[in-house]
Structure formats: structure tokens, C-alpha cells
Amino acid sequence: MRRMAWALPAAAALVCGCGAGASAPQATSQPPSPAPASHQSQPAATRASAKPAPGKNAASAKAQQDAASGGPELFRPNRTGILSGKVVAVDPGHNGGNFAAASVIGKLIWNGRETEACDTTGAQTDGGYTEAQFNWNVAVYLTADLRAEGATVALTRTSNIGMGPCVTERAAIGNQVRANAAISIHADGGPPGGRGFAILEPVADGRNDAIIGPSVSLGADLRSAFASGTGEPFSSYDGTDGIQPRDDLAGINLSTVPKVFIECANMRNATDAALVTSLRWQVTAARAIAAGLTAFLTGARS
């Protein structure tokens, strides 16, 4: 993730698309489908369960239009389940269009403690597969899983061809919908010799004091579910036993709802790169994250 010693060079890493402020997500029905890399195909075994089928009603048409613009959207559940009545904010980190946003690279925001760039391009594998694409795919699969269990999902972006939103706006979206839990999905760009996943948890800064305890619980549930659900080890270089407190991220500094980030793997490690570029593993990662969120939201901890 950005602002670490192993980050990509600034010319390739910093960037953003910013708006005047976050707008409240509008309710709709169907989230857009992920757009996999051209050299990969989606496993037939996961197609039906991982990607929502295109709808044929007016709400679905609106969702498709919103997907083109890339703004935040609120997706209602498509069945009753264990998460009925719960709202989850899902934030696919970065955005595919950020790479073309050099003209706004100097845009600074206040993250609750200091200034930082509005957004960044994110990491990528040595083969050029972007973190933004990985984050987007996992977020769409996760949205489908959560809605199938009765949850309402607020997505901070609805395409992978736009810019931003700013990290401040991403936090505001979860706050505005009063999410019961919020998750920001990422994959790291760490040292090539290191691998594994890490949960990034907030540090108290005044505004977010009330969410520290719940966020720690959310992080513990996600760590357990992701480790058991994917087999991915705890990060060998980031944090301790899969947990890393962070005080430099607007997404958790400015959150007023329980929230953590997950760095699902290290894109610059050869073993992890093979996983993050696999659509099958993306589905697995999404299901593991859904299991962790469900454990937190229902109190069904193992």
C-alpha cells in the first residue's frame, strides 16, 4: 500500500480523481459485473454464483448506467438471509482510470491527521495486472455473496474505468449509509520476497475513537475467516500475526462506522501474484471476506 518503503515509484503510484464531496449512494438492484483481464477467462464453476445475472427491469438499467459513470451505489438484497437488515460498505480500492489522472496528482486532502493524495494508482504484478482490477473483481463477488445473505451493500465505485473517488469520499460513503461494517479491499505492492495478507486497523484520533473496539473485533473476524478460507498466510513483512494498526489512512481515520482494510496478498511476490490473477482465487477471497463480515455482524465467532 502507498506510503510504505516498498511503494512503487511516485511517477507510477500517485494519482486521483476528486469530486467536491461524497454524494449519498442511490438505491438500485444489480451491481455491475467485473471485467477480467483479457488473458483470463472466468471458471465455469463460479460463473453463476459469483456474478449477478443482468436484470431486465428499470432499476437494473439504472445500475448499468451508473456503472458506466462509476459513482457510488446502494444495492438492495436479492433474498432474505442471516444478514437481513444489515448494511455493509464495500470499497474496492483505487480505480482503473487513475493511471490516466496525472493532471490531478497534486490534489491533496486532509486524512484526519495530515495531508495525502486524494487517491493512488495502487500496486500491480510484475506482469502488469493491476490492483484496481483485483479489488474491483473481489468487490463485485463479495457484493453478490452479501446480498444473497440479505445484506444491503454500498459500493464506493461501480466501475473500474473511472477515477477516484477520493479516499475522504470513500470514508464518507460508509458513514452516510450508517454501515454496520465497512471493508476496503486492497492487494499490496510489498517486497518481492514477502507474501501474505494483513488487516489494517484504525488508530484512535478523536473522530474515530468510538469505532476502535468494534473495528478490532471486525479485524479479528476477518483475519480468522480469510486465513481459513483462502489458506493465505499472515503477511511476513506487514504487521504482526496479520494485524497492522495504521494512522495514516483517511479511509479509517475519518470513518464513524466499524471499518478495516484488507491487503489480500502481495502482488509483487510470484506466489501471491499467481493467486491474485486467478479469477477462481478472487471468488475464494470474496467468500472468505464475506464469512468474516458475517461472523462480525452476527456475533457467530468460532
Side-chain angles (χ1 to χ4, degrees), residues 80-270:
T80 300
I82 194 172
L83 297 181
S84 291
K86 303 297 185 181
V87 178
V88 180
V90 175
D91 174 32
H94 312 290
N95 205 327
N98 282 2
F99 289 91
S103 62
V104 292
I105 193 171
K107 180 76 173 182
L108 297 177
I109 54 87
W110 181 253
N111 72 9
R113 291 177 181 268
E114 59 190 345
T115 57
E116 67 169 297
C118 162
D119 202 1
T120 67
T121 59
Q124 60 183 325
T125 67
D126 289 346
Y129 187 88
T130 68
E131 179 191 352
Q133 184 69 65
F134 170 81
N135 299 342
W136 170 241
N137 286 6
V138 173
V140 173
Y141 296 139
L142 174 60
T143 297
D145 290 340
L146 294 173
R147 294 177 68 225
E149 293 298 336
T152 295
V153 178
L155 271 175
T156 60
R157 61 180 174 100
T158 48
S159 81
N160 193 47
I161 58 175
M163 297 180 295
C166 281
V167 288
T168 49
E169 296 176 35
R170 294 171 189 262
I173 290 165
N175 297 344
Q176 287 173 351
V177 299
R178 299 181 181 180
N180 300 102
I183 177 76
S184 189
I185 300 168
H186 287 263
D188 203 15
R195 67 170 302 223
F197 79 95
I199 307 295
L200 312 185
E201 297 181 348
V203 174
D205 66 0
R207 175 185 174 92
N208 68 356
D209 288 2
I211 71 159
I212 300 302
S215 296
V216 168
S217 296
L218 172 59
D221 288 334
L222 281 166
R223 177 182 63 175
S224 176
F226 200 80
S228 62
T230 67
E232 182 74 358
F234 299 149
S235 176
S236 61
Y237 62 90
D238 191 11
T240 302
D241 294 331
I243 300 292
Q244 175 67 283
R246 291 284 294 269
D247 65 1
D248 59 337
L249 302 174
I252 45 182
N253 287 354
L254 302 178
S255 182
T256 58
V257 301
K259 183 175 183 178
V260 297
F261 282 50
I262 182 168
E263 298 278 11
C264 295
N266 178 14
M267 300 192 82
R268 297 192 60 231
N269 174 272

